[in-house]
């Protein structure tokens, strides 16, 4: 499958049309942004790592009954995916307090929750992805009640599968963001990526941060952290 015209360029990926209008090609870049695009930079080799990690985790989820947009890894940075209409909701699941949760509620990072939490935000860069609940999403007709139920059920299932798998590789899954899409027949599938850009990963022993927080907070060792996650999950 060959790339045709570029359909879209996002902060971390480009999307290209193909000869088959039910498929497109996602191409992962090394560009990094944080704080709604205010902080910009490059994380060398990130595109390759995020492509390979996302595909490994998408395969794992498919084996566990979660439908995804993944079709085939084409090269280091490029993956063939099913074309979907993205549901404009970012779904965040949390197992441990961190980031905006810790800030919003005035608590320290690292509180292990008895139950995972779920939250939605409206995927809208101009508005800064405002937090919303499912009633707001319904009122704005971003998704139907049935779609929201499906998205919630998949999100908690994804959390269980990923948490167990990552733990086997010495990684604690703190929190993560998911995006879902609709196939032409309306089926909801997992889309976008699952990577150190979109998840918080902590070393299970030392709690060292192995994710984009190293970039957001200028902690150094950004490339090494991405490499380490890749080494643990896929090997060198
Ligand atoms: N996240 C993301 N994209 C966003 C916002 C959050 O991928 O636009 C991920 C982030 O990497 C983290 C989780 O979602 O793993 C929860 O992020 P949080 O709400 O704590 O926001 P942040 O502290 O990143 O602003």
């Amino acid at each position: 499958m060959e790339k045709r015209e570029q359909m879209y360029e996002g902060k971390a990926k480009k999307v290209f049309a193909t000869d088959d209008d039910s498929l497109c090609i996602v191409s992962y870049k090394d560009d990094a942004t944080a704080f709604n695009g205010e902080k910009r930079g490059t994380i060398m080799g990130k595109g390759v790592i995020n492509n390979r990690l996302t595909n490994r985790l998408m395969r794992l989820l498919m084996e566990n009954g979660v439908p995804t947009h993944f079709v085939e890894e084409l090269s280091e940075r490029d993956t063939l995916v099913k074309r979907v209409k993205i549901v404009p909701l970012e779904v965040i699941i949390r197992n441990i307090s961190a980031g905006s949760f810790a800030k919003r509620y005035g608590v320290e990072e690292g509180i292990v929750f008895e139950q995972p939490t779920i939250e939605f935000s409206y995927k809208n860069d101009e508005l800064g992805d405002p937090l919303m609940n499912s009633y707001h999403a319904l009122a704005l007709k971003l998704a139907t009640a049935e779609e929201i139920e499906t998205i919630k059920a998949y999100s908690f299932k994804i959390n269980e599968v990923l948490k167990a798998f990552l733990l086997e590789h010495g990684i604690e899954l703190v929190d993560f963001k998911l995006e879902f899409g609709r196939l032409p027949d309306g089926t909801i599938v997992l889309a976008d990526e699952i990577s150190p850009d979109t998840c918080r990963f902590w070393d299970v022993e030392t709690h060292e941060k192995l994710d984009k927080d190293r970039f957001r907070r200028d902690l150094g060792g950004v490339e090494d952290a991405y490499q380490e996650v890749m080494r643990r999950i896929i090997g060198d």
Side-chain angles (χ1 to χ4, degrees):
M1 195 64 68
E2 305 252 310
K3 282 183 202 163
R4 298 248 312 253
E5 72 280 7
Q6 185 174 308
M7 296 163 58
Y8 172 80
E9 177 160 8
K11 286 172 275 201
K13 300 186 284 296
K14 294 179 181 178
V15 183
F16 296 89
T18 68
D19 292 338
D20 181 338
D21 62 12
S22 70
L23 300 172
C24 47
I25 293 172
V26 177
S27 189
Y28 286 74
K29 307 188 287 184
D30 287 348
D31 300 356
T33 64
F35 312 117
N36 203 23
E38 270 171 55
K39 182 181 171 84
R40 288 165 185 278
T42 303
I43 301 174
M44 290 286 286
K46 171 171 87 78
V48 173
I49 292 173
N50 285 2
N51 182 41
R52 298 187 60 196
L53 275 175
T54 293
N55 294 341
R56 174 69 190 92
L57 298 175
M58 291 271 179
R59 280 202 195 90
L60 173 76
L61 292 169
M62 290 162 80
E63 287 160 15
N64 283 275
V66 178
T68 83
H69 71 162
F70 175 77
V71 178
E72 186 191 354
E73 189 167 294
L74 298 176
S75 69
E76 276 194 322
R77 288 178 187 271
D78 294 352
T79 292
L80 187 65
V81 298
K82 292 179 189 165
R83 192 163 174 174
V84 298
K85 287 248 178 338
I86 292 285
V87 178
L89 285 175
E90 298 196 344
V91 184
I92 291 172
I93 299 280
R94 302 179 190 270
N95 297 303
I96 299 176
S97 65
S100 70
F101 181 97
K103 199 170 165 195
R104 191 184 319 134
Y105 300 119
V107 297
E108 73 270 32
E109 296 199 311
I111 304 167
V112 179
F113 303 147
E114 278 182 26
Q115 300 286 334
T117 68
I118 189 165
E119 69 207 46
F120 298 108
S121 59
Y122 180 22
K123 188 173 155 63
N124 183 317
D125 280 339
E126 272 128 73
L127 300 176
D129 298 340
L131 194 62
M132 61 168 38
N133 66 34
S134 56
Y135 292 87
H136 300 143
L138 275 175
L140 294 174
K141 295 197 158 49
L142 303 182
T144 66
E146 193 193 347
E147 286 175 335
I148 291 172
E149 284 315 304
T150 302
I151 286 172
K152 276 191 202 164
Y154 284 154
S155 297
F156 285 121
K157 167 85 184 185
I158 290 165
N159 184 45
E160 293 311 312
V161 173
L162 292 183
K163 217 169 49 173
F165 175 79
L166 291 164
L167 207 53
E168 288 169 18
H169 296 86
I171 295 169
E172 228 164 10
L173 180 59
V174 174
D175 58 28
F176 57 99
K177 185 263 300 178
L178 300 172
E179 293 183 24
F180 291 86
R182 297 182 188 98
L183 296 178
D185 70 358
T187 308
I188 294 283
V189 299
L190 179 66
D192 196 47
E193 66 179 280
I194 310 172
S195 73
D197 273 13
T198 63
C199 302
R200 285 194 170 92
F201 294 141
W202 291 357
D203 179 273
V204 70
E205 302 287 334
T206 65
H207 304 296
E208 186 193 354
K209 296 185 197 310
L210 299 172
D211 56 57
K212 202 164 113 180
D213 272 348
R214 302 206 73 85
F215 170 77
R216 293 189 189 100
R217 303 179 189 186
D218 296 317
L219 299 177
V222 185
E223 278 88 358
D224 287 347
Y226 279 68
Q227 283 291 345
E228 179 60 17
V229 172
M230 168 96 139
R231 192 190 64 74
R232 290 190 194 185
I233 295 176
I234 300 184
D236 291 307

